Amino acid sequence: MFIISQNWYELLKDEFEKPYYKKLEKFLEQEYKTKIIYPVPEKVFNSINHVKYEDVKVVIIGQDPYHEPNQAHGLSFSVENGVQLPPSLVNIFKEIKNEYGYQNINGNLTNWVKQGVLLLNSVLTVQKGHANSHKGMGWENLTQKIIDLLNQREKPIVFLLWGSCAQKIGANINTQKHYVLKTVHPSPLSAYGGFFGCEHFKKTNQFLLSHGQKEIDWHT
C-alpha cells in the first residue's frame, strides 16, 4: 500500500508481517477509500525514505500529521511548499531565529532531511480535520521500532524530544551513547514553558561537531 525504501524495508520487514501491522493496513485501506486521509499514501514513509538508517544524525519526533489540506507530506512539523506555517512550526522558527539570527519562511523542512535529520511522527496518518484520529491504531508500534533500531546504533545520534508524546517514545534511549534533549512541545499552548530559550538547535550542532560530524544548517 505504501512506498518504502529498500534500506529501511530490510530493517522493518519483520514488523510488516506482524498481526498489528496487518490490522493497521486493513484499517487504512478502508480509511483511504472512504475518507480524506493525510498524507497521500506515497508520502506516508517520507521521513525514512529520504534518510538512510546509517545516515541519521538527528531525530525530531512529532505526534501525528497536520490534518488540513496541502500540509502533511510525511515529515514531522513540515508542510508542503507555499503553505501557511502552522503555529508549532512558527515557534520552531522563532527559536532558530533566537539562536542563529535568521528567519526561515519556508515551512518545507526537506533541507534538514537531506542533512540527516529524521522528522518522524509517532502516528503517520490522520483523517482530514481530526487530529489524533489514527492514534492507537498500530502506527505507534512501528515508529517505536524505528526509534529502537536507531537506539541500537553505535554512531551517536541527537534525539530532540519535545513534549510528553515524544518523551514517551524516547524513554529508553541509551544516553551513554546518544545525546537526548528534552523540553516542552513547541505548540503555542506550551512553548513559553521551556521551548523558547532551549537552544536545542545550537546544542545539537555542538554535539555533532564534537563527535566529528558536520553540523546541521537549519535554513529551510
Side-chain angles (χ1 to χ4, degrees):
M1 184 176 182
F2 303 118
I3 299 168
I4 185 166
S5 68
Q6 190 67 26
N7 177 264
W8 279 98
Y9 177 78
E10 290 300 321
L11 293 164
L12 296 170
K13 59 185 178 183
D14 290 346
E15 295 296 305
F16 298 141
E17 299 304 318
K18 291 182 178 179
Y20 85 83
Y21 191 81
K22 295 294 187 184
K23 184 178 179 181
L24 174 64
E25 271 192 322
K26 287 184 178 179
F27 166 75
L28 290 171
E29 188 175 347
Q30 187 64 20
E31 287 284 283
Y32 274 102
K33 282 180 181 177
T34 59
K35 299 169 185 172
I36 298 175
I37 304 300
Y38 300 130
V40 293
E42 57 267 28
K43 295 184 178 181
V44 166
F45 283 116
N46 261 1
S47 57
I48 56 177
N49 282 345
H50 295 293
V51 56
K52 292 181 178 180
Y53 172 76
E54 58 270 21
D55 293 337
V56 174
K57 294 159 66 174
V58 182
V59 178
I60 301 177
I61 301 174
Q63 295 181 19
D64 67 335
Y66 296 122
H67 54 267
E68 297 301 332
N70 304 314
Q71 291 183 322
H73 63 126
L75 308 177
S76 63
F77 296 105
S78 180
V79 291
E80 298 274 19
N81 288 321
V83 176
Q84 183 177 349
L85 302 182
S88 292
L89 188 53
V90 169
N91 287 339
I92 289 170
F93 285 174
K94 280 182 181 177
E95 177 57 25
I96 291 173
K97 186 178 181 181
N98 288 341
E99 296 182 32
Y100 285 100
Y102 56 78
Q103 179 67 58
N104 284 330
I105 56 173
N106 179 15
N108 188 326
L109 306 180
T110 301
N111 185 50
W112 297 3
V113 177
K114 291 177 179 177
Q115 301 175 76
V117 181
L118 179 66
L119 298 170
L120 182 69
N121 279 315
S122 171
V123 174
L124 302 187
T125 54
V126 70
Q127 181 185 342
K128 178 185 177 182
H130 297 277
N132 286 321
S133 49
H134 289 177
K135 182 180 179 180
M137 302 307 297
W139 278 127
E140 294 91 341
N141 296 307
L142 185 70
T143 52
Q144 184 66 65
K145 179 65 176 180
I146 292 170
I147 296 302
D148 291 346
L149 285 166
L150 291 165
N151 190 33
Q152 293 169 17
R153 255 194 28 190
E154 285 305 314
K155 192 174 182 180
I157 297 169
V158 182
F159 290 88
L160 303 183
L161 307 181
W162 300 336
S164 57
C165 175
Q167 289 165 22
K168 180 181 178 183
I169 296 170
N172 295 320
I173 292 168
N174 183 350
T175 55
Q176 300 300 310
K177 186 164 41 174
H178 304 295
Y179 188 34
V180 176
L181 292 169
K182 299 179 183 179
T183 188
V184 298
H185 194 274
S187 158
L189 297 174
S190 55
Y192 285 95
F195 184 79
F196 293 134
C198 68
E199 295 197 332
H200 279 192
F201 301 97
K202 275 193 172 181
K203 288 176 181 178
T204 293
N205 280 340
Q206 288 166 358
F207 179 86
L208 292 173
L209 287 171
S210 71
H211 286 77
Q213 299 190 65
K214 188 176 180 180
E215 63 183 357
I216 304 298
D217 177 2
W218 297 109
H219 283 93
T220 59

